[in-house]
Amino acid sequence: MSKFFSTKHSKLIPYTPGEQPKDMKYIKLNTNESPYPPSEKAIAEASKQAELLRLYPDPECTSLREDIAAYYGVEKENVVLSNGSDEILNFAFIAYGDDSHPFVFPDITYGFYNVFAAVNNIPYEEIPLEEDFTIDFKKYCGINKNIVIANPNAPTGIFAPLTEIEKVAQSNPDNIVIVDEAYVDFGGETAITLTKKYDNIIVVQTFSKSRSMAGARLGFCIASKEICRDLNTIRYSVNPYNINRMTMAAGSAAINDEEYFQRNRLEIIETREKTRKALLDMGFEVLPSKTNFLFAKSDRIGGEELYRKLRENGILVRHFTSERIAEYNRITIGTPEDMETFINTVKGLIL
Ligand code: PMP
């Protein structure tokens, strides 16, 4: 830390992204990326924009907002775009959190929420997941605090029915309920319909997973027009050109390529279910997943040891050290070939 670093950040513990090692070629099952390329139409549209890079992009992102709004049956004023969904999550923390409006989220969830709270000096509370890693939504009802729920949750992969989200929103009418749907396209159901009924719900989604565009950094939220205005106030105060030209064009092409989208997500779901069965057959405990990853543990090998041995064998999975989940690993779904290599390697290690 330099002597210039503000003391207000001196205790800040930043988010740790999954490792991206360069020492050798790994089968990367550690950062929930898609193993498949984006839509060819998205690639073509992004390339066309490369010629125009001298020009700023449209700060209002009008055409992409219109495309997303049309796809989800809302108006463009209900959509705000961001540089990855991480950014819109941060905007929401900035917009709605302060000493008298703390944030609440599960103890086991996306590891960025507590960092967004910390960097913005917003108090937060973590509510422990149940023994079986589900969320007891009663614990979020009527608490009069801002709430963030990843649905499906990460790294557990468990999806909760929308009726539960609805009860939480209904019982906290003076607070914001953010539903982070980064993985919803792999078998969950979106809460976007609820945004028409409840003015306190913000649904956050990303192009990183089911549309294979993690490198383009494109996320968005759908919420009431008033909330979108708030979030744009923050966006215009931080980075009005947060969506670059190539990403904006690729995003429009991707959202309009329904055939690609369905194929992409269904392929992952199919490979996930095959991988889940293979792990169960080897005696693993595998949580039910509606995402592009599995969260699994074995009583034959510790979580950390499995992570390490897989790494030695050229396969990266994500291991978290926090106590409740230290025996588990989060395994991103790759291609069928990737997963066959993964399963065979695990077999060699434990059978
Ligand atoms: N929410 C959850 C639950 C995630 O796992 C991730 C990705 N790591 C994100 C949001 C952010 O994804 P992105 O910024 O790529 O949209």
Side-chain angles (χ1 to χ4, degrees):
M1 186 190 316
S2 81
K3 65 182 181 185
F4 311 106
F5 199 45
S6 167
T7 49
K8 72 175 186 253
H9 297 309
S10 59
K11 294 203 174 68
L12 187 62
I13 303 170
Y15 176 71
T16 317
E19 48 183 337
Q20 306 276 10
K22 315 260 183 309
D23 58 332
M24 59 179 262
K25 198 164 165 16
Y26 289 92
I27 294 181
K28 268 191 93 269
L29 309 177
N30 67 329
T31 48
N32 295 344
E33 290 154 318
S34 170
Y36 301 117
S39 150
E40 280 178 18
K41 292 176 184 161
I43 298 171
E45 289 306 315
S47 312
K48 280 189 208 158
Q49 288 298 317
E51 287 175 26
L52 294 169
L53 281 179
R54 70 187 179 82
L55 299 171
Y56 283 108
D58 169 16
E60 291 188 31
C61 310
T62 308
S63 62
L64 179 52
R65 277 168 54 230
E66 280 170 357
D67 287 336
I68 291 174
Y71 188 81
Y72 289 106
V74 297
E75 293 177 48
K76 72 174 187 310
E77 292 76 18
N78 297 111
V79 181
V80 182
L81 304 183
S82 59
N83 190 297
S85 55
D86 282 336
E87 190 182 47
I88 202 86
L89 289 164
N90 190 34
F91 289 168
F93 272 77
I94 296 172
Y96 300 110
D98 58 39
D99 282 346
S100 43
H101 299 91
F103 269 84
V104 176
F105 37 85
D107 63 337
I108 298 167
T109 191
Y110 185 34
F112 223 142
Y113 303 149
N114 57 22
V115 181
F116 292 136
V119 73
N120 295 306
N121 279 310
I122 300 164
Y124 67 92
E125 283 167 37
E126 296 175 328
I127 299 183
L129 292 182
E130 301 308 287
E131 225 16 64
D132 62 358
F133 293 121
T134 57
I135 297 172
D136 180 356
F137 284 89
K138 284 197 295 298
K139 294 178 178 164
Y140 294 81
C141 285
I143 58 174
N144 206 25
K145 290 169 186 163
N146 291 319
I147 292 161
V148 194
I149 300 284
N151 197 31
N153 196 12
T156 63
I158 297 174
F159 175 75
L162 293 190
T163 45
E164 301 290 352
I165 302 285
E166 180 160 12
K167 281 183 224 157
V168 172
Q170 201 168 31
S171 63
N172 293 286
D174 298 323
N175 291 275
I176 292 294
V177 177
I178 301 173
V179 189
D180 177 352
E181 296 187 345
Y183 302 101
V184 76
D185 295 326
F186 301 105
E189 189 187 348
T190 178
I192 288 173
T193 44
L194 295 179
T195 62
K196 295 184 180 172
K197 200 164 159 196
Y198 298 95
D199 66 1
N200 57 340
I201 297 186
I202 305 178
V203 172
V204 173
Q205 289 201 11
T206 179
F207 280 60
S208 294
K209 317 290 176 183
S210 54
R211 292 189 165 83
S212 301
M213 284 173 52
R217 312 305 301 126
L218 182 59
F220 64 94
C221 80
I222 293 185
S224 75
K225 292 181 185 179
E226 291 73 18
I227 284 183
C228 289
R229 270 198 290 274
D230 299 340
L231 294 171
N232 266 320
T233 299
I234 304 299
R235 194 173 79 90
Y236 277 90
S237 306
V238 177
N239 186 8
Y241 299 112
N242 60 342
I243 313 297
N244 72 68
R245 286 186 160 271
M246 294 192 288
T247 293
M248 213 173 322
S252 280
I255 199 108
N256 289 316
D257 194 347
E258 184 65 8
E259 192 196 323
Y260 161 86
F261 171 65
Q262 292 301 342
R263 196 168 4 100
N264 209 36
R265 68 180 199 93
L266 293 173
E267 217 141 291
I268 295 291
I269 292 173
E270 192 183 324
T271 312
R272 177 187 75 207
E273 292 311 308
K274 280 192 189 144
T275 308
R276 177 173 148 84
K277 187 173 175 309
L279 285 169
L280 289 171
D281 289 347
M282 280 191 278
F284 272 79
E285 189 184 300
V286 190
L287 299 190
S289 168
K290 296 279 189 214
T291 63
N292 66 342
F293 57 84
L294 291 167
F295 202 51
K297 75 167 180 181
S298 165
D299 53 15
R300 297 193 198 176
I301 187 166
E304 203 273 331
E305 190 185 354
L306 178 60
Y307 157 78
R308 207 166 16 83
K309 292 203 164 145
L310 283 170
R311 199 178 198 287
E312 284 163 15
N313 283 275
I315 299 174
L316 285 179
V317 295
R318 186 89 195 249
H319 179 255
F320 298 91
T321 50
S322 82
E323 205 187 320
R324 271 189 89 181
I325 53 173
E327 292 310 319
Y328 287 79
N329 278 291
R330 191 193 69 190
I331 304 139
T332 304
I333 303 303
T335 62
E337 299 73 43
D338 290 341
M339 300 326 282
E340 203 179 310
T341 309
F342 164 76
I343 290 293
N344 288 336
T345 308
V346 175
K347 266 187 198 150
L349 292 173
I350 69 164
L351 296 184

